[in-house]
Amino acid sequence: MRITELLDPRSISLTGAPASKKEALDQMVELMVKSGKIRDKEAYRQQVYAREEESTTGVGDGIAIPHGKGDSVIRPGLAAMVVKNGVDFDSLDGEPVHLIFLIAAPNTKDNVHLDVLSKLSTLLMDEDFVKNLENASTVEEFLQIVDKADEEKPSLNEQLASQTLEDTSEKACRIVAVTSCPTGIAHTYMAAEGLEKAAKKKNCRIKVETRGSGGAKNVLTEKEIEEADCVIIAADANVPMERFDGKHLIECPVSDGISKADQLIDRAMKQDAPVYHSDSPKTEKKTGSAGGAGHKVYTQLMNGVSHMLPFVVGGGILIALAFLIDGLSVDMNSLSQEARANFGTITPVAAQFR
């Protein structure tokens, strides 16, 4: 799937002039509705605003990528607006926004569109690409610029697969990172791209695991984590942390991976971060912790019981056999009270089992 397959010409405006962030979002929703991909405009608008309340989608450098996901969306789509004079969007860098891409994502199991949206997010980290879009004179030219960049840039999976920590230089700093945001559509991959570009400028080796709507990709291996000099977690969503026990670890919002990637890489190179210690059961087992004295006594008692169980069961079976043999060989009604007390040992064969 190509990016332009999601970008309807009717949903592109090159002459946007919103006076505020709210007006910009409302105009973007109207553009998206023109594509015919929204079944409930007001529900979709609420989803866009709800995402904005979590954190601003004004990622800096004049770009904003608001998005809404839910049953209000019929099929995935994009809308775009160029704002020549800029608009205040509460961006991470405080600068006005000049280019807005709105994403519409449905609640479906088919996540093919997620890779396409993720690729667009990484393309927007390219200053030349953004400048060309802002200067496009027609919608057709705008689409051609997007399609050309889409053609030239590797797919998301290829980009991630190309990351490696292997290096012939022993002095090369090795960094592993994880990026994740609540919706996992745009910021996750922009942060990954930002960290990768910053690491490349510093001659560092980096591998970034992304945890988005399409699941975890480029998952870090135990060996890669073990050999890394530092770990960067740029995330606003839950990330499995136990595997990083004992490593220098930097934790920050996913937005820092976009706007503060250079500073994060500098900190990682200096190992300017505390050593992470996990509280998981796996870590406790690794350090040999077995609880208090009461827990140890209980453990030993249960261990003894488990060893005694075979003898208890075996003894019970032997007694049962002795009763069975006497029951088949002796008339209980003919026995005296004293003889009945010795039931199970009356016949010689039964006595052998007791």
Side-chain angles (χ1 to χ4, degrees):
M1 181 181 287
R2 310 280 295 187
I3 296 174
T4 48
E5 291 179 48
L6 303 181
L7 193 55
D8 192 298
R10 295 171 296 179
S11 297
I12 301 174
S13 171
L14 304 181
T15 56
S20 65
K21 179 177 181 178
K22 181 181 183 303
E23 192 172 318
L25 290 173
D26 289 342
Q27 289 181 13
M28 292 303 299
V29 170
E30 293 296 335
L31 282 173
M32 184 66 78
V33 170
K34 289 181 180 179
S35 69
K37 296 173 181 176
I38 305 299
R39 64 164 54 91
D40 188 331
K41 182 174 76 173
E42 289 310 313
Y44 177 65
R45 189 195 308 274
Q46 290 175 15
Q47 288 155 0
V48 171
Y49 273 89
R51 170 59 187 89
E52 207 64 36
E53 288 175 1
E54 293 178 359
S55 62
T56 181
T57 56
V59 296
D61 293 328
I63 301 167
I65 313 178
H67 38 279
K69 179 180 180 181
D71 295 331
S72 62
V73 181
I74 300 172
R75 58 188 183 276
L78 287 168
M81 179 187 288
V82 175
V83 185
K84 296 291 186 181
N85 295 326
V87 59
D88 183 0
F89 210 89
D90 298 327
S91 297
L92 297 174
D93 59 2
E95 296 297 319
V97 161
H98 294 273
L99 180 62
I100 307 173
F101 272 95
L102 175 63
I103 294 172
N107 276 331
T108 60
K109 293 182 180 179
D110 179 8
N111 289 324
V112 175
H113 63 283
L114 294 178
D115 285 345
V116 179
L117 297 175
S118 303
K119 187 174 183 180
L120 172 64
S121 301
T122 59
L123 282 172
L124 290 172
M125 299 293 286
D126 184 329
E127 293 180 6
D128 291 335
F129 173 70
V130 172
K131 187 178 296 184
N132 289 337
L133 289 179
E134 292 175 356
N135 293 329
S137 56
T138 66
V139 169
E140 290 73 20
E141 183 184 353
F142 188 96
L143 288 169
Q144 288 172 4
I145 294 168
V146 172
D147 205 41
K148 184 175 183 291
D150 190 5
E151 177 71 29
E152 295 175 349
K153 193 172 182 67
S155 69
L156 177 66
N157 289 334
E158 290 174 337
Q159 293 176 56
L160 294 174
S162 67
Q163 295 179 353
T164 176
L165 296 182
E166 295 180 4
D167 195 314
T168 54
S169 172
E170 294 182 0
K171 295 183 179 180
C173 179
R174 298 184 178 191
I175 303 168
V176 293
V178 181
T179 62
S180 181
C181 65
T183 50
I185 296 176
H187 293 188
T188 296
Y189 305 99
M190 295 188 79
E193 180 80 357
L195 290 171
E196 185 179 4
K197 288 174 66 176
K200 187 175 182 180
K201 285 193 297 184
K202 304 284 184 180
N203 294 319
C204 291
R205 291 290 176 176
I206 190 169
K207 180 176 178 180
V208 185
E209 173 183 306
T210 57
R211 306 184 71 84
S213 295
K217 293 186 178 182
N218 210 34
V219 177
L220 303 172
T221 66
E222 290 185 8
K223 184 174 184 292
E224 288 166 340
I225 295 171
E226 181 182 350
E227 294 179 349
D229 299 303
C230 191
V231 179
I232 299 173
I233 306 295
D236 295 331
N238 291 333
V239 172
M241 298 291 288
E242 299 84 1
R243 50 192 168 149
F244 303 121
D245 185 72
K247 306 298 295 186
H248 288 279
L249 187 144
I250 300 169
E251 287 189 88
C252 62
V254 68
S255 58
D256 284 2
I258 303 171
S259 61
K260 300 179 181 178
D262 288 329
Q263 296 95 310
L264 292 174
I265 296 301
D266 284 338
R267 287 185 60 193
M269 292 176 67
K270 299 174 185 176
Q271 294 189 340
D272 178 22
V275 174
Y276 176 76
H277 295 292
S278 171
D279 294 327
S280 71
K282 179 180 178 181
T283 304
E284 292 173 359
K285 183 177 180 181
K286 180 179 177 181
T287 57
S289 174
H295 177 74
K296 292 179 179 179
V297 171
Y298 172 80
T299 301
Q300 295 302 322
L301 284 173
M302 291 300 100
N303 188 44
V305 168
S306 65
H307 282 82
M308 285 298 296
L309 279 175
F311 296 99
V312 174
V313 173
I317 292 173
L318 292 176
I319 293 172
L321 288 172
F323 283 148
L324 176 63
I325 293 169
D326 270 3
L328 294 173
S329 305
V330 178
D331 183 4
M332 288 288 292
N333 295 326
S334 65
L335 296 176
S336 63
Q337 190 68 29
E338 182 180 351
R340 289 184 181 184
N342 294 321
F343 188 77
T345 61
I346 296 174
T347 60
V349 178
Q352 291 294 325
F353 287 101
R354 294 292 297 271

